[in-house]
Amino acid sequence: MRLWTITPLVLALASFSLDAKAQNTSEPAYTADELVNFMVEQVDLGSARALCIGTKSECAASQPKPKGFDMRLTFDLDSSTLRPEAKANLEVVAAALKDARLRVAKFKVEGHTDARGSDDYNMSLSVARARSVADFLVSRNVDRSRIVAEGFGEGAPLTADPLDPDNRRVELSLSVE
């Protein structure tokens, strides 16, 4: 059985000086190299090995918590269409994912919605948002086998207000074997 390490790499434009809303520009505030370096620092991509004796939860608790690289991709109401600033950021993400240092990494693309709409509609929309991001990355020659798109509907709001537009987003998680 293979054990995967899931590192939330909440690619979500807000920390690491990446707030695209504040910049009000379609220019990314970071480079592909900065993104790769950040990811390489957060997880073991095969250069080191460690053994933990204990239960899965005990071993997980002993691991340091990864730092978030917040680069949230947000969407308009009732839309799975990528905004221009999201496309600009995803160009950089695509370049980073093709870097040789990340060759063993896989990524989970997680779509979310606010609480407007029915549960079924929101689940469908969140899947469409995740697929929109995954398809964009694949169109930039990122191997589809390294990307899993999944929708969560309104089930994991980012803010206390379930109707907050910030809940309409896609996040990425980094996985390594």
Side-chain angles (χ1 to χ4, degrees):
M1 180 174 117
R2 291 187 174 183
L3 178 63
W4 287 82
T5 303
I6 305 297
T7 301
L9 184 73
V10 182
L11 292 178
L13 300 176
S15 73
F16 195 64
S17 305
L18 297 181
D19 192 344
K21 290 180 185 176
Q23 294 174 28
N24 199 18
T25 178
S26 62
E27 292 294 318
Y30 48 89
T31 66
D33 198 48
E34 289 171 324
L35 184 56
V36 171
N37 288 336
F38 176 82
M39 287 187 250
V40 168
E41 290 173 7
Q42 299 310 305
V43 295
D44 174 17
L45 295 172
S47 60
R49 298 280 180 221
L51 177 64
C52 177
I53 309 289
T55 66
K56 191 175 185 178
S57 61
E58 290 170 337
C59 290
S62 70
Q63 297 297 315
K65 296 286 185 210
K67 300 173 190 169
F69 186 90
D70 199 5
M71 198 172 70
R72 189 173 310 109
L73 303 172
T74 57
F75 292 82
D76 292 327
L77 182 64
D78 294 328
S79 175
S80 61
T81 302
L82 293 170
R83 295 175 173 176
E85 64 269 16
K87 288 180 180 180
N89 286 306
L90 286 172
E91 291 285 356
V92 175
V93 171
L97 298 187
K98 292 185 283 186
D99 188 287
R101 294 172 286 174
L102 298 178
R103 70 188 173 284
V104 298
K106 295 188 180 203
F107 296 86
K108 184 175 178 184
V109 180
E110 303 172 350
H112 301 273
T113 67
D114 62 22
R116 291 174 179 82
S118 69
D119 289 345
D120 288 341
Y121 176 78
N122 286 340
M123 184 57 71
S124 174
L125 181 58
S126 68
V127 169
R129 287 175 175 166
R131 286 184 181 156
S132 178
V133 170
D135 289 346
F136 184 91
L137 293 172
V138 169
S139 77
R140 298 312 189 263
N141 300 315
V142 175
D143 186 348
R144 186 169 293 277
S145 69
R146 297 179 60 209
I147 302 170
V148 176
E150 186 175 358
F152 289 89
E154 63 189 73
L158 186 65
T159 68
D161 177 3
L163 301 177
D164 189 328
D166 285 342
N167 292 322
R168 300 188 302 251
R169 71 198 189 279
V170 165
E171 297 178 353
L172 279 72
S173 298
L174 170 66
S175 304
V176 291
E177 262 184 78

